[in-house]
Amino acid sequence: MDIATIIGIIFGFTVIVGAILVGGGGKMFFHIPSLAITMGGMLCATLIHFSLPQFLSIFSIIKKTIVVKIPSQIELIQKMVNYAAINRRDGALALEQEISKVDDLFLVKALQMLVDGQDPEEIRELMFLEIQYLQERHSNGKKILEFMGASAPAFGMIGTLIGLIQMLRNLDSPESIGSGMAVALLTTFYGAFAANLIFIPLAGKLGVYSKSEMTAREMITEGICAVARGDNPTAVREKMHAFVSQGSRKEVKVTI
Amino acid sequence: MDIATIIGIIFGFTVIVGAILVGGGGKMFFHIPSLAITMGGMLCATLIHFSLPQFLSIFSIIKKTIVVKIPSQIELIQKMVNYAAINRRDGALALEQEISKVDDLFLVKALQMLVDGQDPEEIRELMFLEIQYLQERHSNGKKILEFMGASAPAFGMIGTLIGLIQMLRNLDSPESIGSGMAVALLTTFYGAFAANLIFIPLAGKLGVYSKSEMTAREMITEGICAVARGDNPTAVREKMHAFVSQGSRKEVKVTI
Amino acid sequence: MDIATIIGIIFGFTVIVGAILVGGGGKMFFHIPSLAITMGGMLCATLIHFSLPQFLSIFSIIKKTIVVKIPSQIELIQKMVNYAAINRRDGALALEQEISKVDDLFLVKALQMLVDGQDPEEIRELMFLEIQYLQERHSNGKKILEFMGASAPAFGMIGTLIGLIQMLRNLDSPESIGSGMAVALLTTFYGAFAANLIFIPLAGKLGVYSKSEMTAREMITEGICAVARGDNPTAVREKMHAFVSQGSRKEVKVTI
Amino acid sequence: MDIATIIGIIFGFTVIVGAILVGGGGKMFFHIPSLAITMGGMLCATLIHFSLPQFLSIFSIIKKTIVVKIPSQIELIQKMVNYAAINRRDGALALEQEISKVDDLFLVKALQMLVDGQDPEEIRELMFLEIQYLQERHSNGKKILEFMGASAPAFGMIGTLIGLIQMLRNLDSPESIGSGMAVALLTTFYGAFAANLIFIPLAGKLGVYSKSEMTAREMITEGICAVARGDNPTAVREKMHAFVSQGSRKEVKVTI
Amino acid sequence: MDIATIIGIIFGFTVIVGAILVGGGGKMFFHIPSLAITMGGMLCATLIHFSLPQFLSIFSIIKKTIVVKIPSQIELIQKMVNYAAINRRDGALALEQEISKVDDLFLVKALQMLVDGQDPEEIRELMFLEIQYLQERHSNGKKILEFMGASAPAFGMIGTLIGLIQMLRNLDSPESIGSGMAVALLTTFYGAFAANLIFIPLAGKLGVYSKSEMTAREMITEGICAVARGDNPTAVREKMHAFVSQGSRKEVKVTI
């Protein structure tokens, strides 16, 4: 549960809607045809840009920005130090029973290769291949949200152009100019609002998540390779510490 | 047949044309000289930018975004696992009869080298050279569409400037101001519409296709090299699994 | 003679000038002081940005976008296959008489090294150094045109600001507002027109040429190195085919 | 204490506030709802983009741009030259007493490895891993400030759109047009001001700091590795001099 | 003395000032408070972005764009060919007397290493380290000017916003609208002018200089390494020719 995303969206809506209500004329800001141009145009452009399965994954992508859980780096260091201790004391085969305690499929695969007695370089190569293609898959979601963030203001502007052209037809009735132009500007407002409060920040959040997950996987790779080389727990800890800031380098001890 | 591209274009036109008709004055939005400035200028700039053969390939490029077919990753893994099984059981020469069953010229070339008993590293090198230059050829179509997407709004603005300058000549007849400015804005509307609903998303689709095709070719390269090294079917499958998400890693078994 | 560049420029001018004449007031669009601000300012900025020899090369750069001739890739493959045949049949020294038939100084240098019996790796290294620095020299012309394409609209906007400020001085004579603003907008029009129809597309054309020339040189390097390694004509052809699309891979046979 | 940041912010505020007061109507420029839209919207978008711990680190990041202290490059060279002298005279173990004189934890770790007699390549590898991940952690703060710098003007524009739409509702009272539009423009002013005087320059300062710190750490790595290889003080000094400009290459002599 | 920079600045000012004088109202374009907002704001933002020593180096950076002298590439090739001849005839030690004839500290260092009999690979490594860090130091000046070029229009826009808001306060006196808006636009004019005629082109010039200097240093490195490997003058000349265009490859002969 990512509390920051939820707070940000709720407060953001509150601030903007509040400002509209304070200024008056709130009803004016809700206009279905304007919403249809901006959001409809943006969704169609997204559909043309991406493949159907990618487009349909938008909701699961947005969901991911709210519910994803990042593994703790300290816990990862602790695990690696323990594996090193077990490996030195009882040999790699003793790690087999650790596999069942692990949820993360990536770590399971790494441990399995360790137990199978594969070469550290071979493990690293396969793990890096896996990390590399995961990164590509991850970047897809980010690209969709970024494209939506770029497309929404563009269709907002297209809507405003349509509104302006229609308004300019009957300049002779000065009273209709104001409301016509107000409606024309609505689509630009919708586009800017959706892009800057929703799509662009959510794309950023996906990037932040993706990076943490990548770092966690690089830590697992480095750790498992160090264990496979037979490093002692202290050496493994030293190597893992490069990944975390000096402030959070707590003394990790073997707990098994 | 890419259903997403077709749906996106049809719905996108429907949304925008619908919004215009609802607002009234639809006839006003169809103005041949404005269309000529925006599209003519954009096509001339594209002709100057690219060579004649590249320019003439625009239609086949656009066609490609609708009809291209991406190879299934799971099928590719299945094929590679089968090749590994045949190779282990009957030797590389037995793969010769598989070549005739394959359509993809890239896979044919890879299999041929495998049957010819070439070195895995040699195969990989030649395959990567082929992938690299294919990528360059692919990026050409994307660049043309991207340039058109950047050029259309620019000529839209040039048309609007021409219209504004002409309108400002006779400010003394206030009635003509409105319609003059409406016409001036039309070119900006055409440019923004063509760029944001057609050219930019189609360029994106080409990029999505190009990437899938590249991944498929990298999978073929990795798979054929693994087979050439004499890996067993399970090892080949493990290696190929790095390319697909954990959700779609079905158990692939030897089917030959 | 690049027919695309010439057609593009002629048609582009026709479209824009035609649109101006159709709308009326063509005389108004020709205003020397506005032209002086936009083009003069842009040329001065270019002079400050680049060195004097680079600046003076603008005309030869523009000329190059019209008259350059790209070597045919199929011909190159044909040549390399022939060289391989000669090399296998009569030895590298027999290639000496081929040198005199070649115009391209790059190919001459490569053949000379082949005849001199230099090591393939040594040839590749020197050729790549040459390609790398040619690329840097090539990119200069592109950068100048790109800077002019970015600078022209900026000075157009500066001219418009000057015109607007001058117009706003005497808002009391409403008749002069229209013509004053029309003149002010002219510089923006000049800048946008020059950038989008001339400088940006010409910079693109230079990039397209540069890339083709680079590919041709990479093909020569790969081909000569393969010949130097003593590859047979078929192997050389296979290697060269990676550079061209599958559609244009004609059967090339030894013609000597 | 970074005097430049403080002077820049104080003078920047003075210049802008002074210009407002000179022009009159200073009170008009302070408008709580406009401030709430621009800053509130920007903070909410930042909250959605980043994780909660990253968001909460904004203040410590801003503090860092004012109080951070960059190590002197000349002092670093002096230290490395001394270490080389001690190492050549008394062996690596004699460097153990130098560790206690050093504050920088990175240098402590490097010296410890040197004293432990680790291989130069091993030291370099671990140090580079540490530098690489520090760089990633550093770039986070810069990204947050850059996002705020991009988001503030966007929400400024959103606020202006809301204000314009509300103003256009009652165009019939011409007196309210001026003040309505003035208020509408305020949010754009706030956004542009905050981005261009605060967020973008502070992000730049963080980048400048990060780069100096990276260079210092690269100098330590190169220096310690040279000492570990047993280079003499002169050779170490020559190597370190590559990092500093020729003007500041003072003659450094062994001072121990 | 870079004549292009001086001509460009003088002519650029002449063109813009001339256009202002022709249009009339030249006095209006000189407004101290507007100048203070644009330039003061820009300088304060630069001060916040960079460190104090970097900020204070602005003048020496600007001076550099006018007075710097680029070494001639042909002369460099001539020198390297001579060194190769001396080295082959009298041995590396005979090059010692050449060192005193050289001004460039980089070449002095390279020659010194050659005379000291260091390994070619060792020379190359140290030279490349030096080139790499010089490049980083060079890019600093460019970054400062680029930031000023991006910041000046931003503060111009901030000034215009302030002016517009102040003007909108008293819309009731229509006569003041024109002059108020003219003054408001002045800051945007100042910002655009300073950025597009001064800062952006000067940043470009620095880049052009930096690149020529880098190429010269790469030529020195390649040349000295070739001499150190004992290449004959002809081979050295061939290698150096890769750096210059085919048109300027004059026959260089040993002149010592």
Side-chain angles (χ1 to χ4, degrees):
Chain A
M1 216 35 189
D2 187 319
I3 206 75
T5 307
I6 296 167
I7 294 177
I9 289 177
I10 292 174
F11 271 72
F13 266 88
T14 311
V15 162
I16 301 297
V17 171
I20 288 172
L21 294 180
V22 163
K27 221 170 59 186
M28 207 180 178
F29 281 85
F30 192 72
H31 191 242
I32 298 283
S34 298
L35 212 58
I37 293 180
T38 315
M39 294 302 138
M42 181 266 285
L43 286 174
C44 289
T46 309
L47 200 51
I48 299 173
H49 187 141
F50 296 95
S51 69
L52 203 54
Q54 285 176 325
F55 179 80
L56 295 175
S57 69
I58 293 176
F59 290 105
S60 73
I61 288 167
I62 290 177
K63 203 180 114 195
K64 203 181 167 190
T65 61
I66 300 175
V67 300
V68 131
K69 195 169 150 280
I70 297 301
S72 150
Q73 295 188 325
I74 297 301
E75 273 174 34
L76 270 177
I77 296 178
Q78 180 65 63
K79 269 181 189 159
M80 292 304 144
V81 168
N82 285 349
Y83 295 161
I86 295 170
N87 183 50
R88 299 271 283 203
R89 202 182 52 203
D90 312 312
L93 281 176
L95 284 165
E96 189 138 35
Q97 64 193 57
E98 294 294 318
I99 295 177
S100 58
K101 300 182 196 160
V102 171
D103 287 330
D104 181 6
L105 287 172
F106 184 82
L107 182 49
V108 166
K109 193 169 181 180
L111 277 172
Q112 191 61 56
M113 285 192 290
L114 189 60
V115 170
D116 293 353
Q118 290 196 31
D119 190 62
E121 278 321 300
E122 223 175 324
I123 296 178
R124 183 193 299 277
E125 199 190 315
L126 214 75
M127 292 287 102
F128 266 128
L129 209 68
E130 188 108 5
I131 290 175
Q132 184 190 331
Y133 287 102
L134 178 74
Q135 196 158 22
E136 272 187 28
R137 288 194 302 272
H138 267 203
S139 73
N140 259 336
K142 196 162 176 263
K143 271 188 197 152
I144 295 178
L145 285 174
E146 278 172 350
F147 179 75
M148 291 169 88
S151 191
F155 280 96
M157 198 194 73
I158 288 173
T160 297
L161 284 168
I162 294 175
L164 280 179
I165 292 170
Q166 287 174 338
M167 181 208 81
L168 287 164
R169 267 193 326 166
N170 33 8
L171 269 187
D172 41 344
S173 54
E175 269 139 53
S176 71
I177 293 178
S179 69
M181 202 155 160
V183 170
L185 284 180
L186 261 187
T187 54
T188 294
F189 167 68
Y190 289 154
F193 179 76
N196 286 295
L197 192 67
I198 310 293
F199 299 130
I200 296 173
L202 281 185
K205 180 75 100 198
L206 270 188
V208 166
Y209 277 148
S210 174
K211 208 165 185 178
S212 323
E213 216 169 320
M214 284 305 130
T215 306
R217 298 203 163 190
E218 281 176 38
M219 288 175 78
I220 289 172
T221 305
E222 287 297 330
I224 293 290
C225 287
V227 174
R229 271 196 310 269
D231 285 8
N232 63 52
T234 315
V236 169
R237 194 189 61 206
E238 282 305 300
K239 199 152 273 172
M240 307 298 287
H241 269 173
F243 289 88
V244 296
S245 68
Q246 261 153 354
S248 56
R249 285 183 194 175
K250 299 180 194 143
E251 267 312 304
V252 173
K253 276 179 192 142
V254 176
T255 58
I256 286 184
Chain B
M1 214 41 187
D2 187 320
I3 206 76
T5 307
I6 296 167
I7 295 177
I9 289 178
I10 292 174
F11 271 71
F13 267 88
T14 311
V15 162
I16 300 297
V17 171
I20 287 172
L21 293 180
V22 163
K27 221 170 59 185
M28 207 181 178
F29 281 85
F30 191 72
H31 190 243
I32 297 284
S34 299
L35 211 58
I37 293 180
T38 315
M39 293 303 138
M42 180 266 284
L43 285 173
C44 290
T46 309
L47 201 50
I48 300 173
H49 186 140
F50 297 95
S51 69
L52 202 54
Q54 286 176 325
F55 180 79
L56 295 175
S57 68
I58 293 177
F59 290 104
S60 73
I61 288 167
I62 291 178
K63 203 180 115 194
K64 204 181 166 189
T65 61
I66 300 175
V67 301
V68 131
K69 195 169 150 281
I70 297 301
S72 150
Q73 295 189 326
I74 298 301
E75 274 175 34
L76 271 177
I77 297 178
Q78 180 63 64
K79 270 183 188 158
M80 293 303 143
V81 168
N82 285 348
Y83 295 161
I86 295 171
N87 184 49
R88 299 271 283 202
R89 203 183 52 201
D90 311 315
L93 281 175
L95 284 165
E96 189 139 35
Q97 64 193 56
E98 294 294 319
I99 296 178
S100 59
K101 300 182 195 158
V102 171
D103 287 330
D104 181 6
L105 287 172
F106 184 82
L107 182 50
V108 166
K109 194 168 181 180
L111 278 171
Q112 191 61 56
M113 285 192 290
L114 189 60
V115 170
D116 293 352
Q118 289 195 33
D119 190 62
E121 277 322 299
E122 223 175 324
I123 297 178
R124 183 193 300 275
E125 198 189 316
L126 213 75
M127 293 287 101
F128 266 127
L129 208 69
E130 188 109 4
I131 290 174
Q132 184 189 332
Y133 288 102
L134 179 74
Q135 196 158 22
E136 274 188 24
R137 289 195 302 272
H138 267 203
S139 73
N140 259 335
K142 194 158 176 266
K143 271 188 197 154
I144 295 178
L145 286 173
E146 277 172 352
F147 179 75
M148 291 169 87
S151 190
F155 280 96
M157 198 193 74
I158 287 173
T160 297
L161 284 167
I162 293 175
L164 280 179
I165 292 170
Q166 286 174 339
M167 182 208 80
L168 288 164
R169 266 194 326 165
N170 33 9
L171 269 186
D172 41 346
S173 55
E175 269 139 53
S176 72
I177 293 178
S179 69
M181 203 156 160
V183 169
L185 285 178
L186 261 187
T187 54
T188 294
F189 168 68
Y190 288 154
F193 180 76
N196 287 296
L197 192 67
I198 309 292
F199 300 130
I200 295 172
L202 281 186
K205 180 75 100 198
L206 270 188
V208 166
Y209 277 147
S210 175
K211 208 167 186 179
S212 323
E213 217 169 318
M214 284 305 130
T215 306
R217 299 203 162 189
E218 280 176 39
M219 287 175 78
I220 289 172
T221 305
E222 288 296 330
I224 292 291
C225 287
V227 174
R229 273 195 310 269
D231 285 9
N232 63 52
T234 315
V236 169
R237 195 189 60 208
E238 282 305 301
K239 199 153 273 172
M240 306 299 287
H241 270 173
F243 289 88
V244 297
S245 67
Q246 262 153 353
S248 56
R249 285 183 194 175
K250 297 177 196 147
E251 265 313 303
V252 172
K253 274 175 192 147
V254 176
T255 59
I256 285 184
Chain C
M1 207 52 178
D2 187 320
I3 206 75
T5 308
I6 296 168
I7 294 177
I9 289 178
I10 291 174
F11 271 71
F13 266 89
T14 310
V15 162
I16 301 296
V17 171
I20 288 172
L21 293 180
V22 163
K27 222 170 59 187
M28 207 180 179
F29 281 84
F30 191 73
H31 191 243
I32 298 285
S34 298
L35 212 57
I37 293 181
T38 316
M39 294 303 138
M42 181 266 285
L43 286 174
C44 290
T46 310
L47 201 49
I48 300 174
H49 187 140
F50 296 95
S51 69
L52 203 54
Q54 286 176 325
F55 180 79
L56 296 175
S57 69
I58 293 177
F59 290 104
S60 72
I61 288 167
I62 290 177
K63 203 180 115 194
K64 204 182 165 190
T65 61
I66 299 175
V67 301
V68 130
K69 196 170 150 280
I70 297 300
S72 150
Q73 295 188 326
I74 299 300
E75 274 174 34
L76 271 177
I77 296 178
Q78 181 64 63
K79 269 183 189 158
M80 292 304 144
V81 168
N82 285 348
Y83 295 161
I86 295 171
N87 184 49
R88 298 271 284 202
R89 204 183 51 202
D90 311 314
L93 281 175
L95 284 165
E96 190 138 36
Q97 63 194 57
E98 295 293 320
I99 296 178
S100 59
K101 300 181 195 159
V102 171
D103 288 330
D104 181 5
L105 287 171
F106 184 81
L107 182 49
V108 167
K109 194 169 181 180
L111 277 172
Q112 192 60 57
M113 286 192 290
L114 189 60
V115 171
D116 293 353
Q118 289 195 32
D119 190 61
E121 276 322 299
E122 222 175 324
I123 297 179
R124 183 194 299 277
E125 198 189 316
L126 213 76
M127 292 288 100
F128 266 128
L129 209 70
E130 188 108 4
I131 290 174
Q132 185 189 332
Y133 287 102
L134 179 73
Q135 196 159 24
E136 272 187 27
R137 289 195 302 271
H138 268 203
S139 74
N140 259 335
K142 194 159 177 263
K143 270 187 197 154
I144 294 179
L145 286 173
E146 277 171 352
F147 179 74
M148 291 169 88
S151 191
F155 280 96
M157 198 193 75
I158 288 174
T160 297
L161 284 168
I162 293 175
L164 280 180
I165 292 170
Q166 287 174 338
M167 181 208 79
L168 288 164
R169 266 194 326 166
N170 32 9
L171 269 186
D172 40 347
S173 55
E175 271 140 52
S176 71
I177 292 178
S179 68
M181 203 155 160
V183 169
L185 285 178
L186 261 187
T187 54
T188 294
F189 168 68
Y190 288 154
F193 179 76
N196 287 295
L197 192 67
I198 310 292
F199 298 130
I200 295 173
L202 281 185
K205 180 75 101 199
L206 271 188
V208 166
Y209 277 148
S210 176
K211 208 165 186 181
S212 321
E213 218 169 319
M214 284 305 131
T215 307
R217 299 205 162 188
E218 280 176 40
M219 287 175 78
I220 290 172
T221 305
E222 287 297 331
I224 293 291
C225 287
V227 174
R229 272 196 309 269
D231 285 10
N232 63 52
T234 315
V236 169
R237 195 190 60 208
E238 282 306 299
K239 199 153 272 171
M240 306 299 288
H241 271 172
F243 289 89
V244 296
S245 68
Q246 263 154 352
S248 56
R249 284 183 195 175
K250 298 180 194 143
E251 266 311 305
V252 172
K253 276 174 192 146
V254 176
T255 59
I256 284 184
Chain D
M1 213 40 186
D2 187 320
I3 207 76
T5 307
I6 296 167
I7 294 178
I9 290 177
I10 292 175
F11 271 71
F13 267 89
T14 311
V15 163
I16 301 297
V17 171
I20 288 172
L21 293 181
V22 163
K27 221 170 60 187
M28 208 180 177
F29 281 84
F30 192 73
H31 190 243
I32 298 284
S34 298
L35 212 57
I37 293 180
T38 315
M39 294 303 137
M42 181 266 285
L43 286 173
C44 290
T46 309
L47 200 50
I48 300 174
H49 187 140
F50 296 95
S51 69
L52 203 54
Q54 286 176 325
F55 180 79
L56 295 175
S57 69
I58 293 176
F59 290 105
S60 73
I61 287 168
I62 290 177
K63 202 179 116 196
K64 204 183 166 189
T65 61
I66 299 175
V67 301
V68 131
K69 194 168 150 282
I70 297 300
S72 150
Q73 295 188 326
I74 298 301
E75 273 174 36
L76 271 177
I77 297 179
Q78 180 64 63
K79 269 183 188 157
M80 292 304 144
V81 169
N82 285 348
Y83 295 161
I86 295 170
N87 184 50
R88 299 272 284 202
R89 203 183 52 203
D90 311 314
L93 280 176
L95 284 165
E96 188 138 35
Q97 64 192 58
E98 294 294 318
I99 295 178
S100 59
K101 299 181 195 161
V102 171
D103 287 330
D104 181 6
L105 286 172
F106 184 82
L107 182 49
V108 166
K109 193 168 180 181
L111 278 172
Q112 192 60 57
M113 286 192 290
L114 189 61
V115 170
D116 293 352
Q118 289 195 31
D119 191 60
E121 278 321 299
E122 222 176 325
I123 296 179
R124 183 193 300 276
E125 198 190 316
L126 213 76
M127 292 287 102
F128 267 126
L129 209 70
E130 189 109 5
I131 289 175
Q132 184 190 332
Y133 287 102
L134 179 73
Q135 196 158 23
E136 272 187 26
R137 289 195 302 272
H138 266 203
S139 73
N140 259 336
K142 195 161 176 264
K143 271 188 197 152
I144 295 178
L145 286 173
E146 277 172 350
F147 179 75
M148 292 170 87
S151 191
F155 280 96
M157 198 193 74
I158 288 173
T160 297
L161 283 168
I162 294 175
L164 280 179
I165 293 169
Q166 287 174 338
M167 181 208 81
L168 287 163
R169 268 194 324 166
N170 32 9
L171 269 187
D172 41 345
S173 55
E175 269 139 53
S176 71
I177 292 178
S179 68
M181 202 156 161
V183 169
L185 285 179
L186 260 187
T187 53
T188 294
F189 168 68
Y190 289 153
F193 180 76
N196 287 295
L197 192 67
I198 309 293
F199 299 130
I200 296 174
L202 281 185
K205 180 76 102 201
L206 271 188
V208 167
Y209 277 146
S210 175
K211 208 167 186 178
S212 321
E213 217 169 320
M214 284 305 131
T215 306
R217 299 204 161 187
E218 281 176 38
M219 287 175 79
I220 290 172
T221 306
E222 288 297 329
I224 293 291
C225 287
V227 174
R229 272 195 309 270
D231 285 8
N232 63 52
T234 314
V236 169
R237 194 189 61 207
E238 282 305 301
K239 199 152 273 172
M240 305 299 287
H241 270 173
F243 289 89
V244 295
S245 68
Q246 261 153 355
S248 56
R249 283 182 196 176
K250 298 180 195 145
E251 266 311 305
V252 172
K253 277 178 190 142
V254 176
T255 58
I256 285 184
Chain E
M1 207 52 179
D2 186 321
I3 206 76
T5 308
I6 296 168
I7 294 177
I9 289 178
I10 292 175
F11 270 71
F13 266 89
T14 310
V15 162
I16 301 296
V17 171
I20 287 171
L21 293 180
V22 164
K27 223 171 57 188
M28 207 179 178
F29 281 84
F30 192 73
H31 191 244
I32 298 286
S34 297
L35 213 57
I37 292 180
T38 316
M39 293 303 136
M42 181 266 286
L43 286 173
C44 290
T46 309
L47 200 49
I48 300 173
H49 186 140
F50 296 95
S51 70
L52 203 54
Q54 286 177 324
F55 180 80
L56 295 175
S57 69
I58 293 177
F59 290 104
S60 72
I61 288 167
I62 291 177
K63 204 179 115 195
K64 204 182 165 189
T65 61
I66 300 175
V67 301
V68 130
K69 194 170 151 283
I70 298 300
S72 151
Q73 295 188 325
I74 298 300
E75 273 174 36
L76 270 177
I77 297 179
Q78 181 63 66
K79 269 183 189 155
M80 292 303 145
V81 169
N82 285 349
Y83 295 161
I86 296 171
N87 184 49
R88 299 272 284 201
R89 204 182 52 203
D90 311 315
L93 281 175
L95 284 165
E96 189 138 34
Q97 64 193 57
E98 293 294 318
I99 295 177
S100 59
K101 300 182 195 160
V102 171
D103 286 332
D104 181 6
L105 286 171
F106 184 81
L107 181 49
V108 167
K109 192 166 181 183
L111 278 172
Q112 191 60 56
M113 285 192 290
L114 189 59
V115 170
D116 293 353
Q118 289 195 31
D119 190 60
E121 276 322 298
E122 223 175 325
I123 296 179
R124 183 193 300 276
E125 197 189 317
L126 213 76
M127 292 287 101
F128 266 126
L129 208 70
E130 188 109 3
I131 289 174
Q132 185 190 332
Y133 286 103
L134 179 74
Q135 197 159 21
E136 271 186 27
R137 289 195 301 272
H138 267 203
S139 74
N140 258 336
K142 196 161 176 262
K143 270 187 198 154
I144 294 179
L145 286 173
E146 277 172 351
F147 179 74
M148 291 170 88
S151 191
F155 280 97
M157 198 193 75
I158 288 173
T160 296
L161 284 168
I162 294 175
L164 280 180
I165 292 169
Q166 287 174 339
M167 182 208 79
L168 288 163
R169 267 193 324 164
N170 32 10
L171 269 186
D172 41 346
S173 54
E175 269 139 53
S176 71
I177 293 178
S179 67
M181 203 156 160
V183 169
L185 285 179
L186 262 187
T187 53
T188 294
F189 168 68
Y190 289 154
F193 179 76
N196 287 295
L197 192 68
I198 309 293
F199 298 130
I200 295 173
L202 281 185
K205 180 76 102 199
L206 271 188
V208 167
Y209 277 146
S210 174
K211 209 167 185 178
S212 321
E213 217 169 320
M214 284 306 130
T215 306
R217 298 205 161 187
E218 280 176 38
M219 287 175 78
I220 290 173
T221 305
E222 288 297 330
I224 292 291
C225 287
V227 174
R229 271 194 310 269
D231 285 8
N232 63 51
T234 315
V236 169
R237 194 189 60 207
E238 282 306 299
K239 198 152 273 172
M240 306 299 288
H241 270 173
F243 289 89
V244 296
S245 68
Q246 263 154 351
S248 56
R249 283 183 194 176
K250 297 178 195 147
E251 265 313 303
V252 172
K253 277 175 191 146
V254 175
T255 59
I256 286 183

